[in-house]
């Protein structure tokens, strides 16, 4: 459904006597964020947006209310008050989002994903440009190459418009990933279904990541085509002055609205394309990768958490955690238990999972020959994927002992800062190194772990406690 949650009255800002002014505010804000006027490395603050809205309000007329409709919108003393009202309305009805920087406590107001998608037709309805939705990076390169070889000025204009869509597509994909992450969290909080969360995650990876996002990060990558685009632009700039003068004259005839005194339209377009490619590579592509990493990480956390809760749904351990969570003194209890049980491993049988088995009679063997039913390709894929997920983080005490044995070598002690990290298994073993004191079962030397009080870091951990691992009673 479309009209759910915060989108129940999504189009209310576009009704009433101020609807044309609100549309103009959206158009002007869209141009400042996603067109040639945009500075993609800067987020607009509240005062900047109010200035944009004040400019838009002076352009658009105020319409009359419809007959029989009660006018609930008040009058404003000045343009700033009306701009504040427009901003609050767009935020309230989810055209814009309010994002607060936790470090500087400054608020920015970017478009929501649906707000940007519905604002784009409002911007394009007054223009005659036709935009392509796919392969914008490759289209930019192809149009520039066609212009360099044939000299057709419309190829340069096409390349300029294709490059404008590159950053907008990145912004759209980042917003979609953030929205899907929030939707996943909301659905999990409401239903707590492991299978549904897993199916939705893999459905997104199959329907959106593989056909669109994966291509954008590989075949249509801005990093892949950036150098080629720059080479073509340099080739265009080295053309004869006579041809460049002809191109400049033609551009001034086709795009008189972009003409400014003392400025070359040809150089403006080439510089703009280079700047957009640079910002796409340095700003938007890393942001897209971070958003994708955050989405997959959140999905992994949710699926693991739900799987654990599902496996412990009928156990005494879950009941004990529930009672501990309801206690008023849980902090003191946990601290006391941590001091008493820090170096021990305690394993208890769950009474609900313990059954008394009775000896059964041996069942007769069925010797009939039956046709073997082949396993479907989809079932094989699910079985293989589940096996890989089960084995990815499988780690036991034997692995930890072998890792520590290799790390110590012929020595008797080692600092956790110096533990080797050769592969993912070593990284997993290092994260369990504080359990080493408990891995002194029969036949093995005792191991003592001492906390040095220092904090260390490496390429994989931002910070971790530093320990000294020392062998005792070793031969």
């Amino acid at each position: 459904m479309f009209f759910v949650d915060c989108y129940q009255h999504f189009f209310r800002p576009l009704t009433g006597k101020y609807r044309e002014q609100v549309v103009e505010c959206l158009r002007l804000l869209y141009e400042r964020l996603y067109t040639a006027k945009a500075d993609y490395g800067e987020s607009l603050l509240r005062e900047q947006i109010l200035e944009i809205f004040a400019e838009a309000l002076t352009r658009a007329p105020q319409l009359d209310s419809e007959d029989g409709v009660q006018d609930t919108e008040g009058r404003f003393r000045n343009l700033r008050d009306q701009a504040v009202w427009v901003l609050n309305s767009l935020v309230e009805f989810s055209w814009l989002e309010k994002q607060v920087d936790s470090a500087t406590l400054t608020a920015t107001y970017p478009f929501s994903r649906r707000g940007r998608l519905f604002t784009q037709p409002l911007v394009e309805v007054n223009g005659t440009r036709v935009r392509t939705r796919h392969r914008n990076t490759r289209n930019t390169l192809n149009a520039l190459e066609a212009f360099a070889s044939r000299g057709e000025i419309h190829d340069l204009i096409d390349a300029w418009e294709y490059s404008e869509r590159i950053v907008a597509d990145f912004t759209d994909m980042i917003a979609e990933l953030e929205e899907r992450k929030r939707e996943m969290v909301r659905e999990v909080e409401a239903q707590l279904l492991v299978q549904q969360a897993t199916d939705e995650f893999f459905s997104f990876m199959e329907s959106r990541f593989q056909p669109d996002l994966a291509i954008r990060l590989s075949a249509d990558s801005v990093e892949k085509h950036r150098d080629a685009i720059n080479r073509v632009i340099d080739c265009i700039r080295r053309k004869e002055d006579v041809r460049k003068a002809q191109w400049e004259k033609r551009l001034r005839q086709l795009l008189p609205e972009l003409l400014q005194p003392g400025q070359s339209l040809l150089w403006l377009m080439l510089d703009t394309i280079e700047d957009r490619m640079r910002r796409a590579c340095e700003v938007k592509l890393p942001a897209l990768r971070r958003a994708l990493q955050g989405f997959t990480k959140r999905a992994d956390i949710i699926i693991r958490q739900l799987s654990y809760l599902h496996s412990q749904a009928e156990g005494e351990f879950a009941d004990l955690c529930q009672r501990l969570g309801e206690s008023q003194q849980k902090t003191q209890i946990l601290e006391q238990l941590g001091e008493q049980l820090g170096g021990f491993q305690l394993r208890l049988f769950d009474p609900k999972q313990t059954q008394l088995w009775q000896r059964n009679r041996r069942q007769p063997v069925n010797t009939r020959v039956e046709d073997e039913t082949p396993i479907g390709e989809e079932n094989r894929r699910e079985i293989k994927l589940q096996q890989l997920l089960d084995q990815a983080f499988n780690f036991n005490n034997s692995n930890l002992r072998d890792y520590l044995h290799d790390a110590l070598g012929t020595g008797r002690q080692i600092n956790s800062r110096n533990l080797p990290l050769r592969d993912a298994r070593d990284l997993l073993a290092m994260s369990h190194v504080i359990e080493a004191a408990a891995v002194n079962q029969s036949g093995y030397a005792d191991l003592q772990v001492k906390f040095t009080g220092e904090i260390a870091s490496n390429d994989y951990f931002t910070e971790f406690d530093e320990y000294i691992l020392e062998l005792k009673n070793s031969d």
Side-chain angles (χ1 to χ4, degrees):
M1 294 179 62
F2 181 87
F3 296 99
V4 293
D5 298 334
C6 57
Y7 301 103
Q8 292 184 2
H9 306 286
F10 181 73
F11 295 102
R12 181 170 294 178
L14 304 184
T15 60
K17 62 182 180 181
Y18 300 115
R19 54 187 180 272
E20 186 64 29
Q21 293 179 324
V22 174
V23 169
E24 188 63 23
C25 291
L26 290 171
R27 288 173 180 167
L28 196 57
L29 180 60
Y30 185 93
E31 291 177 358
R32 285 294 304 275
L33 290 177
Y34 301 113
T35 62
K37 302 178 183 179
D39 184 2
Y40 300 113
E42 177 185 3
S43 299
L44 296 180
L45 302 179
R46 178 184 175 86
E47 291 300 323
Q48 295 173 303
I49 294 180
L50 292 179
E51 292 177 0
I52 295 173
F53 284 0
E55 178 184 353
L57 292 173
T58 58
R59 297 182 181 180
Q62 175 180 323
L63 304 179
D64 296 332
S65 300
E66 298 179 1
D67 295 336
V69 178
Q70 183 179 1
D71 184 10
T72 59
E73 299 169 341
R75 297 181 179 273
F76 306 101
R77 295 175 299 178
N78 49 47
L79 285 177
R80 180 177 175 83
D81 291 344
Q82 188 175 0
V84 172
W85 175 80
V86 172
L87 177 60
N88 294 336
S89 299
L90 294 177
V91 173
E92 179 183 359
F93 298 108
S94 300
W95 285 81
L96 303 179
E97 295 178 346
K98 182 179 180 180
Q99 298 180 355
V100 180
D101 189 348
S102 58
T104 62
L105 298 181
T106 57
T108 58
Y109 298 85
F111 273 96
S112 65
R113 179 171 175 268
R114 295 187 184 183
R116 197 190 74 81
L117 291 176
F118 281 91
T119 304
Q120 184 175 345
L122 298 177
V123 176
E124 296 177 351
V125 71
N126 292 335
T128 58
R129 295 177 295 177
V130 179
R131 299 174 182 266
T132 55
R133 302 294 179 183
H134 308 286
R135 298 166 51 97
N136 289 298
T137 305
R138 281 173 284 180
N139 287 341
T140 302
L141 176 60
N142 295 336
L144 283 174
E145 290 177 343
F147 173 70
S149 60
R150 296 181 301 183
E152 175 59 43
I153 201 65
H154 289 92
D155 292 331
L156 177 61
I157 298 177
D158 290 340
W160 188 60
E161 294 185 348
Y162 290 142
S163 66
E164 181 179 325
R165 287 292 306 162
I166 293 174
V167 177
D169 289 343
F170 275 117
T171 304
D172 188 19
M173 182 58 69
I174 293 171
E176 181 180 357
L177 288 172
E178 294 296 332
E179 183 177 354
R180 284 186 174 271
K181 184 168 64 174
R182 291 193 295 267
E183 289 179 355
M184 182 182 296
V185 174
R186 287 197 300 267
E187 293 176 356
V188 167
E189 290 177 351
Q191 300 181 7
L192 292 178
L193 297 178
V194 182
Q195 188 63 37
Q196 181 176 352
T198 307
D199 292 343
E200 290 181 356
F201 173 72
F202 285 109
S203 175
F204 170 78
M205 299 301 287
E206 292 176 357
S207 62
R208 292 289 291 133
F209 178 78
Q210 292 181 357
D212 186 10
L213 185 57
I215 296 176
R216 189 167 299 170
L217 294 175
S218 57
D220 197 38
S221 174
V222 291
E223 292 179 336
K224 178 180 179 181
H225 299 293
R226 179 184 180 182
D227 293 337
I229 291 176
N230 291 337
R231 286 195 297 268
V232 177
I233 291 177
D234 293 337
C235 179
I236 295 174
R237 287 173 172 165
R238 292 193 300 267
K239 295 290 184 179
E240 298 83 359
D241 293 339
V242 176
R243 297 191 64 184
K244 289 187 288 188
Q246 295 174 353
W247 294 336
E248 180 68 25
K249 182 179 179 180
R250 183 58 176 161
L251 284 174
R252 291 172 181 265
Q253 294 175 352
L254 295 176
L255 304 173
E257 66 276 6
L258 299 180
L259 185 60
Q260 295 183 6
Q263 186 179 48
S264 170
L265 289 184
L266 177 61
W267 250 242
L268 172 64
M269 287 190 170
L270 296 179
D271 293 340
T272 302
I273 294 174
E274 280 186 332
D275 184 67
R276 288 170 179 170
M277 294 300 299
R278 180 180 64 83
R279 294 181 182 274
C281 291
E282 299 177 1
V283 180
K284 289 301 181 181
L285 186 58
L288 176 61
R289 288 170 176 168
R290 289 194 299 268
L292 179 60
Q293 183 181 8
F295 173 74
T296 54
K297 184 177 180 181
R298 179 61 60 87
D300 178 69
I301 293 174
I302 289 176
I303 294 174
R304 289 181 182 277
Q305 182 179 7
L306 292 181
S307 300
Y308 175 76
L309 293 177
H310 182 72
S311 63
Q312 299 292 336
E314 299 181 356
E316 287 291 339
F317 182 74
D319 297 338
L320 178 61
C321 292
Q322 182 69 25
R323 294 195 299 269
L324 180 62
E326 297 173 355
S327 175
Q328 300 295 332
Q329 300 178 349
K330 50 180 173 291
T331 303
Q332 294 82 351
I333 296 175
L334 291 175
E335 290 179 354
Q336 184 179 0
L337 290 175
E339 294 176 356
Q340 296 176 357
L341 304 178
F344 296 93
Q345 287 185 345
L346 181 61
R347 301 179 180 179
L348 301 177
F349 290 99
D350 188 354
K352 292 186 179 180
Q353 302 295 335
T354 304
Q355 299 181 4
L356 182 61
W357 295 96
Q358 297 180 356
R359 180 175 297 179
N360 297 328
R361 295 182 179 180
R362 180 175 297 178
Q363 297 294 332
V365 179
N366 185 5
T367 58
R368 292 182 300 173
V369 178
E370 297 180 355
D371 296 335
E372 181 180 359
T373 303
I375 301 177
E377 186 66 25
E378 185 66 21
N379 294 334
R380 291 183 179 179
R381 176 181 174 276
E382 293 181 358
I383 294 173
K384 183 63 176 178
L385 182 60
Q386 187 62 39
Q387 290 177 351
L388 294 176
L389 290 176
D390 294 340
Q391 297 174 3
F393 293 93
N394 184 19
F395 194 80
N396 52 40
N397 295 340
S398 177
N399 300 129
L400 182 58
R401 287 196 302 269
D402 295 340
Y403 173 73
L404 292 176
H405 181 271
D406 295 338
L408 287 170
T410 58
R412 297 181 57 85
Q413 68 177 15
I414 189 173
N415 191 310
S416 60
R417 182 196 299 268
N418 301 324
L419 289 173
L421 295 176
R422 296 178 295 267
D423 50 27
R425 302 297 299 179
D426 289 351
L427 183 62
L428 188 62
M430 181 184 177
S431 64
H432 291 78
V433 72
I434 59 175
E435 303 175 9
V439 190
N440 52 0
Q441 302 175 4
S442 60
Y444 293 92
D446 294 337
L447 187 69
Q448 182 177 1
V449 179
K450 296 180 182 179
F451 178 49
T452 63
E454 300 292 335
I455 301 296
S457 63
N458 54 27
D459 295 338
Y460 304 97
F461 294 96
T462 303
E463 59 180 23
F464 59 88
D465 296 331
E466 185 176 284
Y467 293 89
I468 298 296
L469 291 82
E470 184 178 2
L471 285 175
K472 299 294 184 181
N473 302 326
S474 174
D475 295 335

